[in-house]
Amino acid sequence: MLEFEATYRKFFRFVWASARRLGVSEADVDDVVQEVFLVIHAKLDTVRDPESLRSWIYGIVRRTVSTHRRAAKVRSARFSFLQAFPWASPGPTPEQLTEQGSEAALLAQLLAGLSEAKREVFILAELEEMSVPEIAAALEVPLNTAYSRLRHARADFEAALGRHQARERKGGRS
Amino acid sequence: MKELGPSAKQLIESGKSSMDPTPADETRVLDALRVRIAAGGSEPGQPGPATSPPPAPAPLWPMISAGVVGAGLLTGALLWGLSERPAPPPAGPPPAERPSPAAPADQPSKTDLAAPTPAPTPTPAAENDSGSAAPQQKARSNRLAEEVALLSRATTALHAGRAEEALRVATEHQQKFPGGLLSEERIAVRAQALCMLGRTAEAKRDLARLSPSSPQGARARQRCGLE
């Protein structure tokens, strides 16, 4: 049987970063991560295939974040997925952040430019280094759909990065 | 399938850890989980706990004993002393009577279920024993003292112009005490820090969670130039 605390140590970073990337604010992430691990604690003994653990955990993160979003919507009509993203929140625009030279901000800007479905697949594949079958299982979509989304997401990401680099070069010349 | 180019890969490598937690985050959340699990926050076999609405939290006010109210008044006085300009003395309702903006009734924070309970060991008989009342009061007072200490740090940083530090400490308070007695003060401090950082839209959003009649909110709005 899988041991809870070892599972926590192994997947804490993954759960936290996934929740943040799904739009949970810094102020709320503690609560959401706790909810996720309470579910894991309650259900861990039902996991039969340790290889599928990460996909299973990501599914829990998605559902928990979804519940969190719904509750937040009830509480406040101000909440929306994009608003919860730091790079889409009021304040400095992604362009302003990028001008500050932060690669993290540029990455965030390019990710924000992807559709939600593509972004999720792209993040899991490229940032979390999950295999496409793992992603398909985590998102509960057919394998071909996951492959297709990843292919389009990569193309969109590369195109957006290319446009950014072109603007940079143009700005550098002027 | 076509792989990403080297520029894209390099960018991802550089920026992918931007949302990673710190070791302190890992320890803090694990500590909170241990308390909640010990208090019965996780029942194995519950159907679909991830999508089920969280159980209603134990109301905060009934759990606060007269001793804690006294400590709350003391806390109010301490914070009053910290503020640049005098606020109305907290002779009226104690801070605990205010609705907690961080834990509204329609979305209870499960942390609050365990947080006000100082002893995570599930020994209800012992807790009901009159002999344990003093340790409980002491633990609650300690929580208040911790809240005061954190907000003092945040306020000091704010007044020294260290807005990022103030924001960090206010966030730490929010994480440790999501339904804390001093949530209103925390929101006001945090909003002022956000204003100093030019993040006025976020500050406005935070301040909108406070009651329009909140003196802390009014003071923060004034200092932010939001009035």
Side-chain angles (χ1 to χ4, degrees):
Chain A
M1 195 176 109
L2 293 159
E3 202 268 317
F4 174 72
E5 200 155 317
T7 306
Y8 175 89
R9 299 279 182 205
K10 188 172 178 185
F11 289 100
F12 176 75
R13 188 212 62 78
F14 173 69
V15 169
W16 178 286
S18 297
R20 293 283 284 124
R21 290 185 185 117
L22 284 169
V24 176
S25 70
E26 195 178 342
D28 291 339
V29 69
D30 258 36
D31 281 350
V32 170
V33 170
Q34 283 184 42
E35 294 305 316
V36 169
F37 278 105
L38 283 178
V39 177
I40 293 172
H41 179 263
K43 300 279 189 180
L44 196 57
D45 58 354
T46 68
V47 175
R48 295 284 168 259
D49 177 14
E51 293 299 309
S52 66
L53 195 55
R54 193 157 56 154
S55 299
W56 179 72
I57 287 175
Y58 188 75
I60 295 171
V61 175
R62 289 183 93 213
R63 286 191 293 275
T64 307
V65 169
S66 173
T67 304
H68 170 75
R69 272 190 226 159
R70 279 200 300 274
K73 269 185 178 172
V74 169
R75 191 177 66 232
S76 163
R78 291 190 304 273
F79 189 92
S80 75
F81 178 79
L82 282 177
Q83 282 171 338
F85 271 91
W87 51 83
S89 297
T93 64
E95 288 76 15
Q96 287 168 333
L97 287 170
T98 307
E99 281 166 13
Q100 292 166 10
S102 161
E103 286 181 305
L106 173 58
L107 176 60
Q109 178 191 350
L110 298 181
L111 290 174
L114 300 176
S115 72
E116 188 172 342
K118 289 181 199 167
R119 178 170 51 232
E120 197 166 25
V121 173
F122 186 88
I123 286 171
L124 292 178
E126 304 296 346
L127 279 72
E128 295 298 341
E129 299 174 3
M130 285 170 71
S131 70
V132 179
E134 266 188 302
I135 295 168
L139 303 182
E140 297 173 348
V141 297
L143 188 59
N144 284 343
T145 303
Y147 273 114
S148 171
R149 284 183 191 171
L150 179 58
R151 187 170 60 248
H152 287 295
R154 281 177 175 166
D156 289 357
F157 187 87
E158 290 274 25
L161 179 59
R163 286 194 296 275
H164 169 79
Q165 288 169 334
R167 278 198 303 274
E168 290 281 293
R169 283 194 295 272
K170 197 174 169 185
R173 280 203 301 270
S174 61
Chain B
M1 188 175 1
K2 193 182 170 191
E3 293 290 317
L4 286 174
S7 300
K9 281 187 175 172
Q10 189 189 344
L11 176 64
I12 287 168
E13 200 52 44
S14 306
K16 73 177 181 184
S17 61
S18 63
M19 294 218 171
D20 281 358
T22 64
D25 292 330
E26 183 174 343
T27 305
R28 183 185 62 253
V29 173
L30 182 58
D31 287 346
L33 276 169
R34 283 179 177 140
V35 172
R36 293 179 68 178
I37 290 168
S42 172
E43 292 296 328
Q46 274 184 343
T51 50
S52 303
L60 186 61
W61 177 241
M63 286 189 283
I64 298 170
S65 65
V68 174
V69 171
L73 289 170
L74 180 63
T75 302
L78 277 172
L79 279 184
W80 183 37
L82 284 169
S83 94
E84 283 177 354
R85 291 187 301 153
E97 280 193 345
R98 291 190 303 258
S100 167
D106 55 355
Q107 199 220 13
S109 164
K110 275 192 178 177
T111 311
D112 298 347
L113 292 176
T117 307
T121 316
T123 52
E127 284 181 4
N128 290 336
D129 187 77
S130 59
S132 66
Q136 282 183 39
Q137 284 184 8
K138 190 178 175 187
R140 288 167 187 156
S141 297
N142 286 344
R143 283 177 56 79
L144 265 177
E146 269 191 73
E147 284 199 59
V148 171
L150 266 179
L151 284 178
S152 298
R153 274 175 52 205
T155 309
T156 302
L158 187 71
H159 292 171
R162 300 191 303 271
E164 289 192 350
E165 183 186 336
L167 192 58
R168 196 169 55 247
V169 178
T171 302
E172 187 182 342
H173 178 275
Q174 198 275 335
Q175 289 168 342
K176 279 189 177 168
F177 306 102
L181 296 178
L182 303 179
S183 298
E184 194 168 329
E185 284 80 0
R186 193 239 355 274
I187 289 171
V189 168
R190 182 182 148 82
Q192 289 173 70
L194 286 168
C195 287
M196 285 174 76
L197 293 169
R199 294 158 64 179
T200 47
E202 287 173 76
K204 276 184 191 171
R205 207 163 52 219
D206 276 8
L207 289 171
R209 297 163 66 194
L210 296 179
S211 157
S213 60
S214 158
Q216 285 84 2
R219 192 159 51 235
R221 281 188 202 93
Q222 189 183 36
R223 288 177 183 166
C224 284
L226 297 175
E227 287 184 330

